[in-house]
Amino acid sequence: MAPDTVEKTPVTLLGLGAMGAALARAWLAAGHPLTVWNRTPARAAVISAEGATVADSAAEAVAANTLVVVCLLDDASVEEVLADADLAGRDLVNLTTGTPAQARARADWARERGARYLDGGIMAVPPMIGVPDAGGYVFYSGSRELFERHRETLAVSAGTTYVGRDAGFAALHDIALLSAMYGMFAGAAHAFALIRREDIDPASLAPLLADWLVAMAPTVHQTADQLRSGDYTKGVVSNLAMQVAGTPTFLRTAAEQGVSPELLSPYFELMRRRLAEGSGEEDLTGVIDLLVR
């Protein structure tokens, strides 16, 4: 059979919000037969005009194909939408954002209903979906066999990264990366606040800030190495004692600029607590142990 006539895996997609619609269009563009359902019919009608088959109910959509992808608002929506669906024999891929515990519970729930389960954490925004060079990808966890079976189809929308048989690992990786992102946003917000009332163009600070964050990003590898070895003094350039000694300057500058220190103060407090334990020669890695309860 010629490559351009190879039959593509049919897909059922539940949920046509911004992300769901982007996923739908990616599979349609790649030639996959697509059955869709959405709580708001108008959104389904738009995708229908582009070639998808619209089911009258979620249960009907699930019955249409073996591969069922869910991209809904939250975990509670998944249970509600699939309440009347027969999942026996279905390959359920859940791309709904949730917690690791919810993913593990949902995997058990799916197995009890006769389905094979794969959880996913999307590391992309809708415009990146279906664009190979955009850099978006999806974490997957759960059944390795299921992942391999549908890897090619799943890769149509974004890159695929399998992170383990534990169904909660995709959500855990997703939230871990997004948590770091929000920490970065917090630091950037404080930086811009410091210059807000000065005769400094934010556009002139932006490239300096971006370059600095890129330069600092590789330090995560040293942190990981220290965590693995248990030696938090390994490769230290600026130790904890030195960095704690410098924190009053940051707080004083914020006060002088009329900027609240609330984005920095919690981290500085953790640094001081770690130092109080007598770990001044360490890197900042020890702060992580204070966070783990």
Side-chain angles (χ1 to χ4, degrees), residues 174-204:
D174 179 20
I175 297 302
L177 266 60
L178 292 175
S179 296
M181 178 193 74
Y182 281 114
M184 179 189 71
F185 287 168
H190 185 85
F192 279 118
L194 289 175
I195 69 162
R196 188 66 173 151
R197 294 175 178 169
E198 302 289 352
D199 186 19
I200 298 175
D201 185 352
S204 69

Side-chain angles (χ1 to χ4, degrees), residues 26-44:
W27 278 313
L28 287 171
H32 288 266
L34 182 68
T35 299
V36 299
W37 174 87
N38 191 72
R39 196 185 305 270
T40 304
R43 290 182 177 175

Side-chain angles (χ1 to χ4, degrees), residues 8-11 32 66-68 89-93 114-118 143-155 160 162 165:
K8 301 293 182 70
T9 300
V11 180
H32 288 266
T66 299
L67 177 57
V68 178
R90 294 296 180 262
D91 294 341
L92 182 61
V93 180
R116 295 167 290 271
Y117 185 86
L118 199 62
S143 169
R144 178 83 199 211
E145 295 76 16
L146 185 57
F147 172 73
E148 294 298 342
R149 182 182 309 154
H150 296 297
R151 182 203 289 257
E152 186 175 343
T153 300
L154 297 173
T160 60
Y162 181 77
R165 290 189 177 276

Side-chain angles (χ1 to χ4, degrees), residues 215-229:
M216 291 297 101
T219 61
V220 299
H221 299 294
Q222 179 165 306
T223 299
D225 185 44
Q226 291 171 348
L227 287 170
R228 291 183 68 183
S229 69

Side-chain angles (χ1 to χ4, degrees), residues 15-273:
L16 294 170
M19 183 60 74
L23 293 169
R25 292 187 171 98
W27 278 313
L28 287 171
H32 288 266
L34 182 68
T35 299
V36 299
W37 174 87
N38 191 72
R39 196 185 305 270
T40 304
R43 290 182 177 175
V46 172
I47 301 300
S48 173
E50 298 178 29
T53 298
V54 178
D56 291 331
S57 67
E60 180 183 310
V62 169
N65 299 303
T66 299
L67 177 57
V68 178
V69 180
V70 183
C71 187
L72 298 168
L73 176 63
D74 53 24
D75 181 68
S77 300
V78 175
E79 183 155 357
E80 180 184 349
V81 165
L82 293 175
D84 298 324
D86 181 4
L87 295 179
R90 294 296 180 262
D91 294 341
L92 182 61
V93 180
N94 185 12
L95 299 183
T96 303
T97 300
T99 71
Q102 287 175 330
R104 290 165 183 142
R106 190 58 56 202
D108 292 339
W109 174 88
R111 281 192 292 270
E112 289 169 0
R113 300 183 65 179
R116 295 167 290 271
Y117 185 86
L118 199 62
D119 203 77
I122 303 176
M123 303 306 299
V125 292
M128 299 169 72
I129 298 300
V131 183
D133 296 332
Y137 62 94
V138 181
F139 287 122
Y140 290 99
S141 61
S143 169
R144 178 83 199 211
E145 295 76 16
L146 185 57
F147 172 73
E148 294 298 342
R149 182 182 309 154
H150 296 297
R151 182 203 289 257
E152 186 175 343
T153 300
L154 297 173
V156 166
S157 57
T160 60
T161 301
Y162 181 77
V163 290
R165 290 189 177 276
D166 186 319
F169 279 6
L172 185 57
H173 280 72
D174 179 20
I175 297 302
L177 266 60
L178 292 175
S179 296
M181 178 193 74
Y182 281 114
M184 179 189 71
F185 287 168
H190 185 85
F192 279 118
L194 289 175
I195 69 162
R196 188 66 173 151
R197 294 175 178 169
E198 302 289 352
D199 186 19
I200 298 175
D201 185 352
S204 69
L205 181 68
L208 301 174
L209 186 55
D211 289 348
W212 178 248
L213 292 174
V214 168
M216 291 297 101
T219 61
V220 299
H221 299 294
Q222 179 165 306
T223 299
D225 185 44
Q226 291 171 348
L227 287 170
R228 291 183 68 183
S229 69
D231 181 2
Y232 298 171
T233 65
K234 185 178 180 181
V236 173
V237 175
S238 179
N239 66 33
L240 179 62
M242 182 182 299
Q243 296 204 49
V244 169
T247 58
T249 299
F250 291 88
L251 298 175
R252 190 176 302 116
T253 300
E256 291 175 0
Q257 296 300 113
V259 172
S260 169
E262 60 194 292
L263 293 175
L264 295 184
S265 292
Y267 190 65
F268 286 171
E269 176 57 29
L270 286 169
M271 290 166 60
R272 286 191 291 271
R273 281 176 52 195

